[in-house]
Amino acid sequence: MSYATKSKYMKTLTCYLGEVVAFVLLDFSSAFDTVDQYCLLSVLRDRFTVYDSALTWFRSYLSGRIQTFASEDDHIGPFNVNCSVFHGSVLEPIEFIAYIIDVLELFDRHGLSHHLFADDKQVYTCAAPVESNGCRQRLS
């Protein structure tokens, strides 16, 4: 664990002396493999007002992809790919942010504090020890 990461955890935990802190770590490193392309296009259109030729370009960029699995002398496919985004693309971080932005609203709606860094999310809530069940319920 890096110094910056330890520092962030310690800041989070010491802000609530005398309280119970419920802490959940989320790793979205494989999230790009499961991005629903239709959902991503909807988020780009509805939340970020991407329309007309720009939306058509994104749709073209994401559609018509195939994948083949190969191992030694054997291969299976091709299969149509209707989820995920291109790994290593300059658009990958933008597409990822657009796709997960609603998660932040969900955290806020449930009164959860959070820290974000790249594909890692730290979600936490605190309460007095006698109210610890409330922490667990907010994180459920």
Side-chain angles (χ1 to χ4, degrees):
M1 189 180 297
S2 72
Y3 173 77
T5 303
K6 286 180 188 175
S7 176
K8 181 64 80 174
Y9 290 134
M10 292 310 295
K11 179 181 177 199
T12 300
L13 297 176
T14 57
C15 287
Y16 304 104
L17 290 175
E19 293 183 313
V20 173
V21 177
F23 204 69
V24 175
L25 303 174
L26 303 169
D27 180 1
F28 282 80
S29 60
S30 296
F32 286 123
D33 298 333
T34 61
V35 169
D36 180 278
Q37 294 170 351
Y38 177 77
C39 182
L40 175 60
L41 290 169
S42 295
V43 168
L44 289 171
R45 182 190 66 233
D46 299 339
R47 175 165 303 269
F48 296 99
T49 62
V50 175
Y51 288 105
D52 302 326
S53 59
L55 188 62
T56 300
W57 184 89
F58 270 106
R59 186 177 292 114
S60 170
Y61 177 76
L62 293 170
S63 66
R65 296 174 46 219
I66 59 170
Q67 184 172 2
T68 301
F69 298 92
S71 172
E72 296 180 10
D73 295 332
D74 195 20
H75 72 278
I76 302 170
F79 298 99
N80 290 324
V81 178
N82 59 3
C83 64
S84 81
V85 296
F86 294 113
H87 291 278
S89 160
V90 295
L91 292 175
E92 187 176 29
I94 295 168
E95 291 170 336
F96 183 72
I97 290 168
Y99 191 69
I100 67 155
I101 196 76
D102 292 331
V103 172
L104 303 180
E105 286 184 5
L106 183 67
F107 294 160
D108 291 339
R109 197 173 328 134
H110 290 279
L112 301 170
S113 300
H114 53 274
H115 296 290
L116 309 176
F117 182 76
D119 57 3
D120 294 319
K121 313 294 170 263
Q122 299 138 17
V123 185
Y124 63 95
T125 187
C126 64
V130 296
E131 299 171 357
S132 60
N133 281 339
C135 286
R136 190 182 70 224
Q137 288 174 347
R138 282 195 300 277
L139 287 170
S140 296

